[in-house]
Amino acid sequence: MTLDLTTASWYLARGSGVTALVLFSLVVALGIITRSARPVPGVPRFAVAALHSSAALLATVFLGVHLVTLLLDPYAQLRLLDLVVPFAGAYRPLWLGLGTLALDLILAIGVTSLLRARLGARVWKAVHLSAYALWPLAVLHGLGTGSDAGTTWLRATTLACVTGVLAAVAWRRAAADPRSSWTARASLGGAR
């Protein structure tokens, strides 16, 4: 079996898209964990924050590969406009549009992160919180578009991503629940 450029770009587009989803899921989970009142046992808070930032950068690189390979893929027939204007594409416009909305939010988060010192923490945080909207958009995009949309392996990967983010939400909620033993000990000065 020979691998031509078209087939290689198709595999690269699929693989980089799934990898970006897994990494962005990790980014969202780490962001939720970082904002929790509880430390991760055995891991300094700065290490979790550094991993969050590094994973976000790596996810963005894989997203860039995903986009470039889709633009070059003769089967996808996407235009640059389809990647930045939601619901403008001819191929599965709803599902592609959800991915485009997620991309637009990622671009906003990236630009404001680069300009954080000039914009101030309040503006940066307001835009940064849009990650909570972009992640489900990206999940839905992955489930609804592409040749692997209905495959067991993609659904299992997506389920693992959703489970990881929901576990981070549970972690954070447990820290905020006044009935949790950790929170009760912390308020009494027993846990630091």
Side-chain angles (χ1 to χ4, degrees):
M1 175 175 115
T2 59
L3 192 66
D4 62 15
L5 186 59
T6 301
T7 305
S9 70
W10 180 70
Y11 280 115
L12 189 57
R14 294 166 55 213
S16 59
V18 172
T19 303
L21 176 63
V22 169
L23 287 168
F24 278 121
S25 299
L26 176 64
V27 169
V28 171
L30 289 171
I32 292 167
I33 289 169
T34 301
R35 297 283 303 155
S36 171
R38 294 192 298 174
V40 177
V43 181
R45 190 177 288 278
F46 76 87
V48 176
L51 182 57
H52 170 77
S53 298
S54 296
L57 183 58
L58 188 58
T60 304
V61 169
F62 275 97
L63 178 62
V65 171
H66 179 63
L67 297 173
V68 169
T69 53
L70 285 174
L71 281 174
L72 299 176
D73 185 350
Y75 295 114
Q77 297 183 1
L78 295 177
R79 306 165 297 167
L80 186 58
L81 180 72
D82 299 334
L83 300 181
V84 292
V85 177
F87 313 108
Y91 175 75
R92 296 184 182 174
L94 172 65
W95 303 110
L96 180 63
L98 294 175
T100 302
L101 284 172
L103 173 64
D104 292 346
L105 290 171
I106 289 168
L107 292 173
I109 290 169
V111 168
T112 56
S113 291
L114 292 172
L115 299 174
R116 184 177 182 179
R118 290 182 180 217
L119 296 174
R122 183 174 291 194
V123 172
W124 173 82
K125 184 177 182 179
V127 174
H128 205 77
L129 288 174
S130 69
Y132 292 118
L134 83 83
W135 179 77
L137 291 172
V139 168
L140 291 172
H141 165 74
L143 288 174
T145 194
S147 57
D148 296 312
T151 62
T152 303
W153 73 267
L154 181 62
R155 289 183 178 175
T157 302
T158 304
L159 180 61
C161 291
V162 171
T163 301
V165 170
L166 292 178
V169 170
W171 170 273
R172 184 170 176 183
R173 288 185 54 95
D177 186 354
R179 296 168 296 183
S180 84
S181 61
W182 187 89
T183 306
R185 286 193 321 264
S187 66
L188 296 174
R192 299 241 186 258

